[in-house]
Amino acid sequence: MRIATWNVNSIGARLPRVLQWLERTAPDVVALQELKCTTDAFPHLPIAALGYETVAHGDGRWNGVAILSRVGLEDVVLDLTAQPPYDGVVETRAVGATCGGVRVWSVYVPNGREPDHDHFAYKLSWFDALRQTVAADLRTAPEQPLAVIGDFNVAPTDADVWDVAAFEHATHVTAPERTALAGVRDIGLDDVLPRALKGEPYTFWDYRNGAFHRGWGMRIDLVYANAAFRTRVRDAWVYREERKGKGASDHAPVVVDLDGDPA
């Protein structure tokens, strides 16, 4: 069973590449982030033509998430429990579904902008809501494989950025963010990728300053999973080629292969 996550940075701009990638790599489940479209504007039909059921959750701004599945799409939940608003709006940043017996959450954690910005406090509150929501799922079905996947906008360790000194006084590497991320881990999840990842260590490269070609990357697209999921992980990698060329997202897809057929 193949599960993937990809921040596409606008599904409208990236649709031809997404469709080609789906055909080429044949994932069973895909979590998408940063759709930048409304739910109604999501391209359900061309994706369905490749055999996927879809649930999309978007408000047309810079966020939006989706799950695509060829192995079933059940128990769909939009948003987190007690998800905090920002500027009076509950943003479209989380969707959960059960796909082939695996519980999957596609999440797009707020960026935080700057450590002294109110968006940073919102980010920490959002992490707390994520922790509570996933903890409830784990209590309800403790033996079910579960993974929270997507753009977490946090590099878990200094080794997950090309040069931690370059991020001084910036978000993504601060102690409060990493503590919030650790709070999600501590409910019974773990970071799958360091244990299984092969090849490219980063998942995101800024469009500016030739960051991709210079290797100035970050690992912020993560797969946090419970033991029932982790014990099935056979392989994991960053699909670096999708960050290359015209019209690429600034993120690359992350792929995880699991042993066993979908339930």
Side-chain angles (χ1 to χ4, degrees):
M1 184 175 180
R2 175 165 292 175
I3 297 178
T5 180
W6 191 2
N7 177 322
V8 292
N9 191 6
S10 174
I11 187 63
R14 234 61 64 193
L15 182 59
R17 292 187 67 132
V18 168
L19 295 175
Q20 291 168 10
W21 184 80
L22 291 173
E23 288 190 281
R24 190 164 60 249
T25 61
D28 297 293
V29 182
V30 185
L32 301 179
Q33 303 86 42
E34 202 171 353
L35 302 180
K36 294 184 176 177
C37 72
T38 63
T39 300
D40 290 343
F42 185 81
H44 296 275
L45 289 179
I47 292 173
L50 297 179
Y52 291 92
E53 294 180 78
T54 62
V55 55
H57 187 36
D59 61 12
R61 302 197 297 173
W62 54 83
N63 42 66
V65 288
I67 296 175
L68 324 179
S69 176
R70 302 193 303 178
V71 293
L73 197 62
E74 302 173 341
D75 303 320
V76 172
V77 176
L78 305 180
D79 302 322
L80 305 176
T81 303
Q83 181 172 314
Y86 185 72
D87 280 348
V89 176
V90 175
E91 298 180 317
T92 52
R93 292 185 174 272
V95 58
T98 300
C99 308
V102 177
R103 187 69 178 163
V104 175
W105 279 93
S106 175
V107 301
Y108 183 31
V109 177
N111 178 280
R113 301 182 186 172
E114 298 172 359
D116 60 352
H117 198 285
D118 59 359
H119 204 263
F120 188 83
Y122 164 58
K123 180 177 190 174
L124 301 183
S125 297
W126 202 94
F127 262 121
D128 187 57
L130 176 62
R131 178 183 58 79
Q132 294 182 50
T133 301
V134 177
D137 270 1
L138 292 172
R139 288 193 299 270
T140 300
E143 304 304 318
Q144 182 179 43
L146 178 148
V148 184
I149 61 180
D151 181 356
F152 283 68
N153 269 314
V154 179
T157 71
D158 289 355
D160 294 310
V161 297
W162 68 276
D163 180 4
V164 72
F167 293 86
E168 187 175 6
H169 308 305
T171 57
H172 293 64
V173 300
T174 68
E177 290 166 291
R178 287 177 172 172
T179 297
L181 178 61
V184 176
R185 179 196 66 210
D186 291 345
I187 62 175
L189 308 182
D190 203 1
D191 188 349
V192 167
L193 300 186
R195 300 172 183 268
L197 191 63
K198 296 179 180 178
E200 175 60 58
Y202 304 133
T203 66
F204 166 84
W205 301 259
D206 198 289
Y207 285 131
R208 298 168 294 182
N209 301 317
F212 180 67
H213 300 289
R214 291 178 168 184
W216 293 358
M218 308 175 70
R219 187 175 74 91
I220 58 176
D221 301 270
L222 310 176
V223 178
Y224 268 49
N226 67 353
F229 184 101
R230 296 195 307 272
T231 56
R232 290 178 55 183
V233 174
R234 185 177 76 245
D235 201 1
W237 69 96
V238 177
Y239 212 100
R240 189 177 187 275
E241 295 301 303
E242 278 303 323
R243 180 58 180 83
K244 293 181 178 179
K246 184 178 180 181
S249 171
D250 45 4
H251 296 250
V254 176
V255 179
V256 178
D257 281 346
L258 304 181
D259 285 327
D261 294 327

